[in-house]
Amino acid sequence: MTHCRNQIAQIVVTAAEMRAIENRLFAAGMPVAALMEKVAGLLARRMIDQWEALGLAPAKIGVLVGPGHNGGDALVIARELYLQGYSVVVTQPLAKLKELTEAHAQYGKSLGIPWVSLEELLDSCKILIDGLFGFGLERSISGELAEQIDRINQSQILICSIDLPSGIHTDTGQVLGCAIRADYTFCLGLWKAACFQDSAVEYLGTVEWIDFGIPFADIDAILGQSSRCYRITKERAIAGLPLPRPLLSHKYKAGHLLLVCGSEEYAGSAILAGLGARASGVGMLSIAVPHRLKPLLVAQLPEALIIPCPETETGAIAELPDTLNYQKYQAIACGPGITRSAEPIIPTLLNLPIPAILDADGLNILASLGMSQLNQRSAPTILTPHTGEFKRLFPNIDPNIDRIKAVREASQQTGAIVLLKGARTAIGSPTGTVYLNPESTPALARGGSGDVLTGLLGGLVAQLPQAPEMATQTATWWHAQAGILAAQQRTALGVDAFHLTEYLSQIPLR
Ligand SMILES: NC(=O)C1=CN([C@@H]2O[C@H](COP(=O)(O)OP(=O)(O)OC[C@H]3O[C@@H](n4cnc5c(N)ncnc54)[C@H](O)[C@@H]3O)[C@@H](O)[C@H]2O)[C@@H](O)CC1
Ligand SMILES: Nc1ncnc2c1ncn2[C@@H]1O[C@H](COP(=O)(O)OP(=O)(O)O)[C@@H](O)[C@H]1O
Ligand SMILES: [K+]
């Protein structure tokens, strides 16, 4: 891929943005029908390759045709497959078609492609091409059409969706009434936001981008500079890493992270966060823990400086030692395992002019103290909530409807970078830009995975204190990639947080 296409592969759009970009192409003279031919030609070739890889070709192919241009794309694919000698049948649940789609339907019928009922299609085909709705879906699907989608989902047929699984909202990823559960989704032209929303994850299957050559200038003209949404590609994730290391570097030039973590109750959190930080390559690592945890941490992380802190009765950090010289640190990461008893340390840390990451009970304490705690911050703040913590921090923002909108609002409200953890982690920045992690694994859904992320992120921020947004993207991508690699080698049941830390150093960063 060229540099320009690589850049376009990072862009994520809404339906309205996609519509406006397409309209620019059409206004400039690109014929709609010519674009449809081009797109469907690319799609047909890619689908055939995919079926061959699965050992499914040649098989009978069913094509589900909707009223709009998604249906038009499907009909062009049906025609091309038919002309290449594939056995193809079409089912068209809605009678009324857009003009161009209708023209393709007429031509397809004239060639002799059979129009059949859904039952006949499901009985005779191994593959279904879903061209029912794309980014033009406006209303909720109900009635007979919803029943037909249910029947498709209950069958064993392999489903390849054009642009989006029909029924999925392009922006929020919500199911509009009901939706096709695809095995493969081929997203056209630009990545749509739904591909990164947790609510769509179970419907998308394997997602692939079909680049049909939208000029960068048209994208730029519509999207402008702010409120953009980016997909965290590998290229993007590793761009800011301090690699190669300067030959004359020394430990104090490679960042010094202060981790504040652990308690009698959650001692392991401190170890996991420490191991995450270790994997980041940070030059110096200091770990503040309740006094009684010092021997444990020294044994697990011999390279770290362990700072024993005065304790509460329950073995949580009561306060940070008076002797601590905060000027030494380029970043502070606080929260894993501290328990809510560590409340007094949070205002102290937030008063420091040092980039700060808050996680776990650090976030819960912030929620109970109030978000005004962040008002006086002069250095960047990064909050890393999962959905439950997010709700506590931002009771007025629902993270379950549209996670992209939710992190954008949360970040703009607080001035903090907000990393909302989930199947598809979303990161909001105060400028309105959102970064989306494109792939991960449910193997990470285990206690301790988040502690590892906090340590890794802290270590990266300490190395890149001027680029906290970059560090946040890198940490998110790196953590997920380690989970994916670990799951490949150890199965999805083998990705405990401790082993995850070992896989971090196996991810190629070039
Ligand atoms: N211009 C082109 O030739 C291109 C077409 N593309 C394809 O075109 C699609 C967008 O096409 P459209 O804008 O026509 O939109 P869609 O094909 O997604 O669907 C819109 C049609 O469905 C109807 N509709 C919406 N919700 C409905 C509901 N709940 N029940 C029944 N009918 C409903 C609308 O009235 C409209 O007729 C993309 O997803 C993509 O597949 C582009 O990707 C590439 C360029
Ligand atoms: N279903 C999932 N798919 C992908 N990643 C997941 C999934 N569930 C959780 N994760 C990831 O695992 C981590 C869990 O973090 P968190 O909820 O803070 O757990 P803990 O506090 O126990 O460490 C996050 O990085 C999150 O994105
Ligand atoms: K579709």
Side-chain angles (χ1 to χ4, degrees), residues 402-422:
D402 180 347
R403 290 161 55 87
I404 296 175
K405 190 160 162 266
V407 291
R408 182 174 276 145
E409 279 177 20
S411 186
Q412 289 182 322
Q413 259 180 34
T414 54
I417 296 168
V418 178
L419 182 162
L420 176 55
K421 293 185 264 199

Side-chain angles (χ1 to χ4, degrees), residues 70 130 132-133 162 164 166:
N70 199 254
D130 157 33
L132 190 55
F133 299 110
I162 301 175
L164 288 163
S166 299

Side-chain angles (χ1 to χ4, degrees), residues 367 371 383 385 389-399 406 409-411 413-414 418:
M371 300 306 272
L383 309 176
E389 289 155 351
F390 186 97
K391 285 180 181 162
R392 259 167 254 143
L393 287 169
F394 305 102
N396 299 326
I397 307 177
D398 189 342
E409 279 177 20
S411 186
Q413 259 180 34
T414 54
V418 178

Side-chain angles (χ1 to χ4, degrees), residues 185-208:
T185 295
F186 297 90
C187 187
L188 303 178
L190 291 170
W191 286 101
K192 313 297 180 312
C195 297
F196 311 91
Q197 296 274 17
D198 278 17
S199 45
V201 162
E202 291 186 308
Y203 293 82
L204 292 162
T206 304
V207 193
E208 197 176 305

Side-chain angles (χ1 to χ4, degrees), residues 3-347:
H3 177 67
C4 171
R5 301 324 288 176
N6 264 332
Q7 257 184 301
I8 291 174
Q10 298 179 9
I11 291 170
V12 179
V13 293
T14 61
E17 288 165 344
M18 189 67 195
R19 179 82 65 210
I21 290 166
E22 274 195 354
N23 283 341
R24 270 182 70 91
L25 307 188
F26 300 144
M30 181 69 181
V32 178
L35 190 60
M36 188 179 281
E37 284 296 317
K38 182 180 179 184
V39 171
L42 290 166
L43 266 171
R45 269 197 296 283
R46 190 56 205 114
M47 286 187 189
I48 292 168
D49 287 349
Q50 190 60 60
W51 303 332
E52 281 175 355
L54 293 170
L56 274 171
K60 193 162 181 177
I61 295 145
V63 182
L64 176 63
V65 172
H69 287 173
N70 199 254
D73 288 347
L75 283 166
V76 176
I77 298 172
R79 185 196 69 211
E80 288 307 299
L81 292 173
Y82 182 77
L83 292 173
Q84 285 180 35
Y86 286 84
S87 182
V88 177
V89 296
V90 169
T91 193
Q92 181 195 322
L94 300 167
K96 198 168 175 319
L97 302 182
K98 268 190 180 174
E99 196 179 348
L100 180 56
T101 308
E102 178 64 37
H104 285 302
Q106 291 309 324
Y107 186 57
K109 284 176 186 167
S110 81
L111 290 172
I113 300 174
W115 254 241
V116 301
S117 67
L118 179 64
E119 283 59 42
E120 198 176 329
L121 183 151
L122 291 176
D123 282 346
S124 61
C125 298
K126 287 212 173 78
I127 297 169
L128 177 79
I129 297 175
D130 157 33
L132 190 55
F133 299 110
F135 68 73
L137 180 71
E138 303 151 331
R139 307 183 295 280
S140 190
I141 301 174
S142 58
E144 169 65 9
L145 198 53
E147 283 168 28
Q148 292 186 325
I149 290 178
D150 280 345
R151 252 173 279 152
I152 292 169
N153 287 341
Q154 279 158 24
S155 76
Q156 296 301 308
I157 203 162
L158 181 102
I159 303 175
C160 297
S161 285
I162 301 175
D163 214 10
L164 288 163
S166 299
I168 292 295
H169 189 285
T170 310
D171 304 345
T172 64
Q174 295 286 328
V175 174
L176 284 178
C178 76
I180 298 261
R181 281 182 191 267
D183 296 288
Y184 293 89
T185 295
F186 297 90
C187 187
L188 303 178
L190 291 170
W191 286 101
K192 313 297 180 312
C195 297
F196 311 91
Q197 296 274 17
D198 278 17
S199 45
V201 162
E202 291 186 308
Y203 293 82
L204 292 162
T206 304
V207 193
E208 197 176 305
W209 176 53
I210 305 286
D211 180 17
F212 62 79
I214 300 177
F216 191 75
D218 291 301
I219 300 169
D220 209 42
I222 297 299
L223 299 185
Q225 286 311 310
S226 61
S227 290
R228 287 206 176 181
C229 212
Y230 293 102
R231 174 173 164 266
I232 310 173
T233 58
K234 176 177 181 182
E235 192 190 39
R236 204 178 170 84
I238 65 174
L241 282 170
L243 287 172
R245 246 185 193 201
L247 295 175
L248 293 179
S249 191
H250 61 71
K251 63 190 176 199
Y252 291 113
K253 276 191 175 170
H256 192 165
L257 170 68
L258 174 64
L259 260 181
V260 182
C261 50
S263 58
E264 168 78 25
E265 195 177 356
Y266 302 115
S269 287
I271 298 170
L272 292 170
L275 292 173
R278 169 192 273 177
S280 73
V282 70
M284 285 296 291
L285 174 59
S286 290
I287 310 182
V289 289
H291 199 284
R292 71 184 75 177
L293 294 193
K294 180 169 176 170
L296 178 70
L297 268 289
V298 171
Q300 296 292 330
L301 288 134
E303 78 276 29
L305 307 175
I306 308 303
I307 302 167
C309 299
E311 298 182 356
T312 64
E313 271 175 25
T314 55
I317 299 173
E319 57 183 300
L320 293 160
D322 296 338
T323 50
L324 219 52
N325 176 8
Y326 293 106
Q327 283 171 354
K328 290 196 294 197
Y329 308 114
Q330 280 71 56
I332 297 175
C334 171
I338 58 172
T339 78
R340 297 210 190 192
S341 307
E343 183 171 312
I345 65 174
I346 296 297

